[in-house]
Amino acid sequence: FFDKIGPVMILYALGILIGNLPFDIPKIEVVQDIATSATIPLAIPMMLFGCRFTLKEASQQVRVCISGFLSVFIAVVIGYLIYGRLINEGAEIGGIMSGMYTGGMVNAAALQSIFKVEEQAYVIMCSCDVVISFLSLVFLVSVGYKFFRWIKGLL
């Protein structure tokens, strides 16, 4: 069962479960700050660990990089145009989201401390991102790949 759903889905579910437990641990902020500060310098090397940089794969890697940056740019700009003026610190939230989508949650935490965005706004943004990402992963893993193969067959 766990092989079918994969490690990403398991970690998302575990994160949602742990994040919503009614813990009231004193000084938890200190532990969270230490964990965030320790993981920020490890984020980029960990992402690059599985990459193979060869000339044979260079053109595909450039296309993936450009499409990734373009999709982040489009998502952040559309999000800002829809919600940016309605939310306090809308531009800062957009910057954090662009960092999150290019470097993960650890990058978002670093940008949150740089932009000095309110903790409550940051937590709500991250919570919404986790829930939406979890739902999109459930869709992709369950029926999404069949749906997109079906569309590809039509073209």
Side-chain angles (χ1 to χ4, degrees):
F1 172 75
F2 291 117
D3 283 341
K4 287 186 179 183
I5 61 174
V8 172
M9 296 296 291
I10 293 170
L11 290 174
Y12 263 101
L14 191 62
I16 288 172
L17 179 70
I18 292 172
N20 289 301
L21 290 176
F23 287 133
D24 189 22
I25 302 171
K27 305 287 184 187
I28 191 70
E29 295 86 15
V30 174
V31 175
Q32 291 172 334
D33 187 47
I34 292 170
T36 301
S37 298
T39 55
I40 287 172
L42 297 173
I44 292 176
M46 293 294 285
M47 289 187 298
L48 296 176
F49 185 69
C51 294
R52 288 181 278 162
F53 297 103
T54 63
L55 287 176
K56 182 179 179 182
E57 298 174 353
S59 66
Q60 182 181 4
Q61 291 169 348
V62 168
R63 283 184 283 163
V64 167
C65 185
I66 290 171
S67 66
F69 286 136
L70 187 62
S71 64
V72 168
F73 175 77
I74 291 169
V76 170
V77 167
I78 290 173
Y80 178 75
L81 292 174
I82 294 172
Y83 300 109
R85 294 177 196 94
L86 303 174
I87 299 173
N88 292 340
E89 304 171 318
E92 291 85 356
I93 295 288
I96 292 171
M97 292 180 79
S98 65
M100 181 186 309
Y101 297 139
T102 56
M105 195 67 75
V106 175
N107 198 13
L111 289 170
Q112 185 267 337
S113 65
I114 290 169
F115 293 147
K116 300 195 184 337
V117 172
E118 284 184 38
E119 294 286 329
Q120 185 178 10
Y122 174 72
V123 169
I124 290 171
M125 182 204 66
C126 290
S127 300
C128 290
D129 177 67
V130 168
V131 170
I132 291 169
S133 297
F134 178 74
L135 293 175
S136 65
L137 280 172
V138 167
F139 167 74
L140 290 173
V141 170
S142 59
V143 296
Y145 69 95
K146 292 179 184 176
F147 174 73
F148 290 118
R149 284 186 180 170
W150 176 74
I151 289 177
K152 183 180 176 184
L154 292 176
L155 302 174

